[in-house]
Amino acid sequence: MADQKLLEKINKLREEKNAVILAHYYVDGEVQALADYVGDSYFLAKLATTIDKENVILCGVNFMGESAKLLNPGKNVILADELADCPMAHMVEIEKIEQVRREYPDVAVVCYVNSTAEIKAHSDVCVTSSNALRVVKNIINKQIFFIPDNNLGRYISKMLPEKEFIFHDGFCHVHKSITKEAVEKAKEIHPQAQVLAHPECTGDVLELADFVGSTSEIIDYATESEAETFIIGTEMGILYELEQRNPNKKFYSVGHRQFCPNMKRITVEKVAEALETLEPKVIVLDEIAKNAAKPLQKMMELAK
Ligand code: 13P
Ligand code: SF4
């Protein structure tokens, strides 16, 4: 439980500094509890375009801060911890994009939002896990180079036979650690449970799932479902909101390694410090920002 005095300090600073606190479902429950808004990557990006506060404190990983800044360049976006970074965001190189563009001149480069601003600047359209299928379906190009996540790309490609996909080999180490064998074992222990998985999981795990979706889609599905027990195939931070909304349902994570060390860098103390100092601010160089905002804006358009 977060210290009461610290929470009071945060509430006071939030007012004084004209700030709003945004958090992703993977950060610690006590950070989610103090945030003004908690959501999946798409929700957080969309929200950034409507915020009327001067300072946005982002409790999540680097690419989320960059996306908020790109979509809302007039605001200060402050990271609760600037070292909280998503390894997947760095798993593709510009040279690779250029090589694929040379080989397939008609290709659309579709980048998962879990990517650096620099990679976005070299892409045509962005997607998140909740809108990837809809956005790619609405792209006119037939050939799609999907970066960096291999699993999400393959998952949506199965539902889009009219497209030709070129995949990349990026992955999320947290979701990759969830194995088919572990899901089968969890199902043996909880035979009545429904399996809910994030599309960053490997294909064999997704085949065992009753539902596949983004973090907020998993939460909505579990909340609306008649089932009472669920096996959760995504990062453990999501259990906080699942349990808040469904106190009478039971949630089990597949294993004990579903833990994103970067998301867990965010603490209540760091949120207080970020509010106090309004540092570190997200800075995206102008020449990158100009092009990196375009695929995010295109995503908003195609996701409608
Ligand atoms: P979503 O919240 O969009 O499902 O994304 C999951 C994720 O890995 C964020 O880093
Ligand atoms: Fe990146 Fe995976 Fe952590 Fe999400 S859970 S921030 S994809 S490492």
Side-chain angles (χ1 to χ4, degrees):
M1 269 283 277
D3 176 73
Q4 197 50 40
K5 279 222 162 68
L6 195 55
L7 290 178
E8 282 165 18
K9 181 177 168 182
I10 287 174
N11 287 337
K12 195 161 162 269
L13 283 168
R14 174 171 13 210
E15 286 293 311
E16 281 172 15
K17 307 271 181 162
N18 191 24
V20 63
I21 303 174
L22 311 187
H24 187 267
Y25 288 123
Y26 291 164
V27 299
D28 262 337
E30 55 184 24
V31 175
Q32 292 186 46
L34 65 78
D36 296 291
Y37 299 96
V38 187
D40 68 3
S41 311
Y42 184 46
F43 174 82
L44 296 176
K46 228 172 30 175
L47 195 73
T49 62
T50 60
I51 274 168
D52 59 355
K53 305 274 183 191
E54 196 183 334
N55 295 299
V56 179
I57 310 292
L58 207 299
C59 303
V61 285
N62 253 314
F63 75 79
M64 295 177 173
E66 283 182 347
S67 299
K69 180 71 185 172
L70 289 166
L71 288 167
N72 212 346
K75 308 279 174 192
N76 289 323
V77 179
I78 297 117
L79 289 168
D81 185 324
E82 70 180 331
L83 296 181
D85 199 4
C86 170
M88 193 212 279
H90 303 271
M91 287 186 185
V92 60
E93 269 140 33
I94 291 159
E95 294 69 36
K96 177 73 195 179
I97 301 176
E98 286 170 347
Q99 180 207 321
V100 171
R101 283 199 193 277
R102 276 194 302 275
E103 248 175 88
Y104 304 90
D106 296 328
V107 82
V109 178
V110 175
C111 84
Y112 190 25
V113 71
N114 298 39
S115 52
T116 61
E118 215 178 348
I119 289 303
K120 289 185 177 77
H122 285 79
S123 303
D124 298 308
V125 189
C126 241
V127 295
T128 72
S129 56
S130 67
N131 64 30
L133 181 63
R134 193 164 57 247
V135 170
V136 177
K137 203 183 171 77
N138 288 336
I139 293 174
I140 49 168
N141 311 52
K142 187 174 166 73
Q143 291 173 328
I144 306 291
F145 180 34
F146 195 94
I147 52 171
D149 192 25
N150 188 283
N151 290 328
L152 176 63
R154 287 190 188 277
Y155 172 67
I156 63 158
S157 74
K158 295 206 166 76
M159 289 167 273
L160 296 169
E162 71 277 21
K163 302 280 182 197
E164 273 172 26
F165 276 79
I166 301 142
F167 300 109
H168 191 59
D169 56 6
F171 61 90
C172 163
H173 66 99
V174 181
H175 290 87
K176 202 176 170 182
S177 75
I178 302 170
T179 63
K180 173 182 172 231
E181 291 71 26
V183 176
E184 283 168 346
K185 200 154 173 214
K187 279 181 76 162
E188 260 170 53
I189 302 170
H190 309 288
Q192 308 297 336
Q194 289 221 320
V195 177
L196 315 184
H198 194 278
E200 287 175 18
C201 290
T202 53
D204 53 355
V205 166
L206 297 181
E207 269 173 34
L208 296 176
D210 296 285
F211 177 76
V212 178
S214 76
T215 49
S216 59
E217 288 171 334
I218 288 177
I219 293 166
D220 290 345
Y221 180 91
T223 306
E224 282 155 28
S225 167
E226 307 250 293
E228 286 170 1
T229 321
F230 301 88
I231 295 164
I232 303 298
T234 189
E235 212 275 351
M236 289 160 116
I238 198 175
L239 297 176
Y240 175 77
E241 183 69 14
L242 282 168
E243 284 162 1
Q244 290 287 312
R245 285 215 218 160
N246 303 283
N248 299 322
K249 295 182 181 177
K250 288 256 172 283
F251 300 97
Y252 301 96
S253 62
V254 179
H256 298 292
R257 293 171 59 208
Q258 288 166 220
F259 179 89
C260 176
N262 282 288
M263 289 285 190
K264 297 300 187 276
R265 292 185 66 91
I266 319 294
T267 60
V268 176
E269 286 76 11
K270 286 179 187 169
V271 176
E273 207 181 310
L275 273 168
E276 201 154 32
T277 60
L278 297 181
E279 292 290 346
K281 290 188 181 63
V282 176
I283 296 168
V284 185
L285 297 176
D286 282 352
E287 61 266 31
I288 295 177
K290 190 166 55 103
N291 291 325
K294 286 182 203 160
L296 281 167
Q297 284 150 358
K298 187 99 188 145
M299 167 181 88
M300 298 297 180
E301 221 179 283
L302 296 178
K304 270 181 202 155

